Amino acid sequence: MKSFPRGSALPWSPALPWSPALAPPAAPHHSASCWPLPWRPRRHLEAVAMATATATATPEEREAGRLELRAAIGFNGHIASGLICHPDNKHLLYPLGCTVVIQDLTSKKQTFLHGHTNNVSCVVVSSSGNYVASGQVTFMGFKADIILWDFQKKELLARLSLHKGKIEGLAFSPNDLYLVSLGGRDDGSVVVWDVPRREAVCGSPASARSAGNVTIVQCSACRDEMFVTAGTETIRVWELDLPNRKLRPTDCQTGQLRRVITSLKIADDDNYFYVGTSTGDILKVNTRNKLMTDFGPQKKFSLGVTALLLLKTGDVIVGTGGGTVALCKGSNYKVMKNIQVQGGVTSLTRRGQGHQFFVGTNTCQIYRVNYTAFKEELITTCHSEAVHDIVFPFGTSDLFATCSKDDIRVWHTPENRELLRIVIPNMTCYAIEFMRDGKSIISAWNDGKIRAFMPESGREKYVINNAHSLGVTAIAATNDCKRILSGGGEGQVRLWAIGEKTHKLEAVLKEHISAVSCIKLKKNDKECVTASLDGTCIIWDIGRFTRKQMILANTLFKCVCYHPEEYQLITSGTDRRIGYWEVYDGSAIRDLEGSLSGSINGMDITSDGAYFVTGGDDHLVKMWDYNEGTVTHIGVGHSGNITRLKICPGKKYIVSVSADGAILLWKYPAVPNTGTGAAAS
C-alpha cells in the first residue's frame, strides 16, 4: 500500500476551504443518527474532478491544455453488476478505471464521466434513468466519494463523502427519492442519502456483530423506504423510519443453511426476493415474514451463482462463476436453456422487458443475448491483464496491435473493434512489432521465444526457440525486414538473420547486465540504441557488432527514442527525468522533470520531431514541446500505470495502454508546428 509522510499534502485531495461545521461526527458507522453532509460548492467539485492531474503536475503543467479522450477500449468486468443497460434501452454504462463509460448501443459513440480520483468500485442507474451514481475505492482511513451524476447533461451534481476505504454497493429507491450506499469491509456501514437535497438522512452498521461482511445492497421495486442487504451469512431487510431518522433492520431466517450471498434480486411486486450463493444454489425469501420459502436446484451451479436476472414471466436467468448463463423455470430452478461464455459472469442486465439482455464477465467481455434464440454475441472485448506494448503498422493509423498475458490483439481504430486475437495460453508477450512490409507480426515472450505470426490470419509463421535464457523483453526489426534485434532478461542483445524459411543468430552483444527494456533502430539499419534496467543506454554499430557510445545515469531506463533527425536521443525511466543526449558522443544536452510521482514507462516522438508524449506511474499522458521542454497538453483518464503509448502515423490519435488492461485513444490536439530542429546544446 502506498504511504505518505505524516503532515504531507495528499496527492488525490486538493486543498478546499474547510470549517468545523462541514466535518462529519467521529466514528460515523457506529451511529444511527442523521449525519450532516460535507457539502461543497460547485466550483470545488470541479476542482476535485481534476485532482489527479493537478496533484501530479508542476505549476506550468497546470496551465497546459487537456487532451480529449476519443475512445476507451476496456471494461472492468471484475465489478459485480458493473454493466448496466440504461432504462432508455439505448445506452450501456460500465466502469473503466476511474471513469464511467456511457456507450450508445447503436452508434457505439462513447461519453465519459470523469470525477473519481481512484478506481470506480460500483455503478448504479436510477429507475427513471435521470440519475447515475458511482462509488470508488481509496486508501485505508481516507474517505471514499460517491458521485451523483445527471445522466442527460452528463454533469456532476454532488459529491457525497462519509464512507471510508471503499464504496461496496449503491442502490436508488424506485422513485429516485433516496440513494442507499454500503461501505466496504473497513467501513461496515449503510447510509441513506436524500437525493433531491443531496444530504445524508441516517446510517447504521450494516451487519450484526456476529455476522460477516455485507457486500450487496438492493432497493425495493415499489417502496422507497425498504431495501435489502446481504453478504457472508447475513440477509437483512431494512425499513427507513424517516420521522425519527432511524434505520430498522430485520434479519431473515434461512434455517440450517449457512451461505455466502453473491447476488441479489428483488421481484417487481416486492413479495419475494432471490439470492444467489457461492455454494451454487438460489434462495427465495418472503419479504413480509422474512422467511426462506424454498431453495434449489438440487444439482448446484458450478463456482457459485454470481448474477441473477428476473423476467416478467417469473423465470430466472442465472449467471455463474463457471461462465454458464442458464434460463431456469419453476421452484426447483430447472435449467431450460443454457449458454457458455468466456470467464465468470459478474453482470446480467436486461434491455426493455427482457427480449434482449447483456452479460459481463470477469475476463472483461460483454455479450448480447437474444432471449428467444438464447444465443450469445460478443460485442465488446478487451485485455483483462496488463497491456505491455502497443504498435502501429508502418504508414497506417487504421490498425494497431497490443500484447498482454496470453494474447496479442489487432484492433481497428475507427470502430475500436477487435479484428484478430492470437492466443498463446499461459505465456506473457512483452513486446511486439509489425514488419515494415506488413507480412508478419514479431513478438517477444517470457518463455524465451520469438514468435512471428501472419497479420491477417494470426497463423504462426515461425518460432525462434531459446532466443534468450530469461525471457525476451524487447524486440525490433530492420527496415529491410531481413534482420531482427531482440533484448533479453539477462541483458544480452541478439541479432537474427531472417530468411524465407530460415532464421539464424548473427551476433550477440554482451554489455548490459540487466534486462533490456527498449530497442530503437536508425533508418539506415546500421545503428541502434538499447535501454536497460542496469542504468545504461548503449548505442551499437550493428554492421560491425560493436559498441559506439554508452549513456550512464542513476536510473533504470524504461524507454528511449531517436529524434527523427537522428543526432539526438531522449530517454526516461524510474528517476522521473527526461534526458536529451547527443548521439555522436553520448553527452547530456538537457534534463527535464518528467513527473512528480512514479517512473516514466513509455514515450514516443512525432515524425517531424516537434512534439513527444510520455506516460508512466502518475497515470497521466503528457505531450511535450521538444524544443521548449514544456508540457503542452495533459490527458487524464487512466487509473493504472501507463506502460506504453504511441502517436499514430497520421498524427490523428495518441494511444496509451496501462497495467489495468485499458486502451485509451486520445484525439491528437491542434498544435502549431514549431519546426523540426532538435534541441540546442
Side-chain angles (χ1 to χ4, degrees), residues 227-292:
F227 61 93
V228 180
T229 61
T232 305
E233 297 183 10
T234 174
I235 305 172
R236 277 182 156 189
V237 178
W238 300 74
E239 292 284 345
L240 172 62
D241 181 358
L242 191 60
N244 296 312
R245 304 183 80 144
K246 297 278 187 184
L247 284 172
R248 307 195 185 279
T250 307
D251 287 297
C252 297
Q253 304 303 315
T254 57
Q256 298 294 315
L257 292 180
R258 294 289 179 269
R259 294 288 187 267
V260 176
I261 310 302
T262 50
S263 54
L264 167 65
K265 272 287 182 281
I266 301 177
D268 289 343
D269 58 7
D270 263 2
N271 291 330
Y272 297 94
F273 62 88
Y274 298 79
V275 292
T277 73
S278 61
T279 312
D281 51 12
I282 301 166
L283 316 184
K284 185 178 180 181
V285 182
N286 188 305
T287 310
R288 289 184 174 82
N289 60 22
K290 283 74 174 176
L291 296 176
M292 183 184 71

Side-chain angles (χ1 to χ4, degrees), residues 294-409:
D294 58 55
F295 70 97
Q298 197 69 36
K299 184 183 178 184
K300 295 178 174 56
F301 290 103
S302 171
L303 298 180
V305 176
T306 51
L308 287 170
L309 192 59
L310 304 184
L311 302 176
K312 300 283 185 184
T313 57
D315 299 338
V316 181
I317 295 175
V318 178
T320 74
T324 301
V325 179
L327 174 63
C328 301
K329 283 182 182 288
S331 59
N332 60 351
Y333 306 102
K334 183 181 178 183
V335 176
M336 306 304 293
K337 298 177 182 177
N338 72 317
I339 54 173
Q340 187 70 32
V341 296
Q342 187 179 342
V345 177
T346 54
S347 302
L348 287 173
T349 181
R350 75 183 180 199
R351 188 180 189 184
Q353 299 301 310
H355 67 284
Q356 205 176 68
F357 62 92
F358 297 91
V359 182
T361 73
N362 60 12
T363 54
C364 305
Q365 317 244 48
I366 300 175
Y367 295 86
R368 178 167 49 208
V369 182
N370 188 301
Y371 175 72
T372 49
F374 220 75
K375 293 288 183 186
E376 76 276 14
E377 176 196 353
L378 183 64
I379 59 168
T380 298
T381 177
C382 58
H383 293 287
S384 57
E385 301 276 348
V387 186
H388 296 292
D389 203 2
I390 154 68
V391 65
F392 281 91
F394 175 73
T396 179
S397 60
D398 288 345
L399 298 174
F400 66 90
T402 56
C403 65
S404 179
K405 184 177 185 292
D406 295 335
D407 58 21
I408 296 169
R409 303 190 190 199

Side-chain angles (χ1 to χ4, degrees), residues 30-267:
H30 295 302
S31 168
S33 62
C34 173
W35 298 344
L37 167 68
W39 180 82
R40 302 173 191 172
R42 170 70 189 228
R43 65 183 182 276
H44 294 152
L45 295 177
E46 290 171 349
V48 177
M50 296 307 294
T52 45
T54 55
T56 52
T58 61
E60 293 80 10
E61 289 172 8
R62 292 190 189 109
E63 301 300 318
R66 293 280 169 257
L67 286 175
E68 181 188 334
L69 186 58
R70 177 191 162 274
I73 301 173
F75 158 60
N76 189 349
H78 299 283
I79 295 173
S81 302
L83 178 68
I84 301 168
C85 185
H86 192 270
D88 67 5
N89 301 327
K90 295 177 182 176
H91 296 88
L92 273 181
L93 291 90
Y94 54 87
L96 175 62
C98 52
T99 305
V100 178
V101 181
I102 302 171
Q103 181 171 311
D104 189 296
L105 284 165
T106 308
S107 66
K108 305 293 184 187
K109 184 184 176 185
Q110 292 175 322
T111 313
F112 306 98
L113 302 180
H114 297 294
H116 287 288
T117 56
N118 210 317
N119 285 347
V120 175
S121 57
C122 53
V123 181
V124 68
V125 179
S126 65
S127 302
S128 65
N130 294 331
Y131 297 110
V132 176
S134 54
Q136 69 171 68
V137 296
T138 187
F139 298 92
M140 188 181 288
F142 294 98
K143 288 197 174 146
D145 287 342
I146 301 162
I147 297 181
L148 186 66
W149 310 89
D150 183 310
F151 177 79
Q152 300 301 334
K153 297 179 181 177
K154 312 295 189 287
E155 283 183 0
L156 188 150
L157 294 176
R159 190 177 290 269
L160 313 175
S161 304
L162 277 179
H163 295 287
K164 290 187 176 181
K166 180 184 181 183
I167 309 299
E168 192 73 54
L170 293 167
F172 278 103
S173 66
N175 297 311
D176 297 0
L177 290 180
Y178 305 112
L179 172 67
V180 183
S181 61
L182 180 64
R185 181 177 296 186
D186 301 316
D187 182 82
S189 61
V190 61
V191 182
V192 177
W193 305 84
D194 188 311
V195 172
R197 294 170 62 190
R198 323 272 198 258
E199 68 178 19
V201 177
C202 56
S204 170
S207 62
R209 291 183 180 273
S210 58
N213 297 315
V214 177
T215 54
I216 303 166
V217 61
Q218 184 87 33
C219 278
S220 158
C222 304
R223 296 174 49 214
D224 285 307
E225 293 77 24
M226 190 193 92
F227 61 93
V228 180
T229 61
T232 305
E233 297 183 10
T234 174
I235 305 172
R236 277 182 156 189
V237 178
W238 300 74
E239 292 284 345
L240 172 62
D241 181 358
L242 191 60
N244 296 312
R245 304 183 80 144
K246 297 278 187 184
L247 284 172
R248 307 195 185 279
T250 307
D251 287 297
C252 297
Q253 304 303 315
T254 57
Q256 298 294 315
L257 292 180
R258 294 289 179 269
R259 294 288 187 267
V260 176
I261 310 302
T262 50
S263 54
L264 167 65
K265 272 287 182 281
I266 301 177

Side-chain angles (χ1 to χ4, degrees), residues 461-464 497-504:
K461 194 173 180 182
Y462 59 83
V463 179
I464 302 176
I498 306 298
E500 283 293 322
K501 295 183 180 179
T502 60
H503 38 266
K504 68 172 185 174

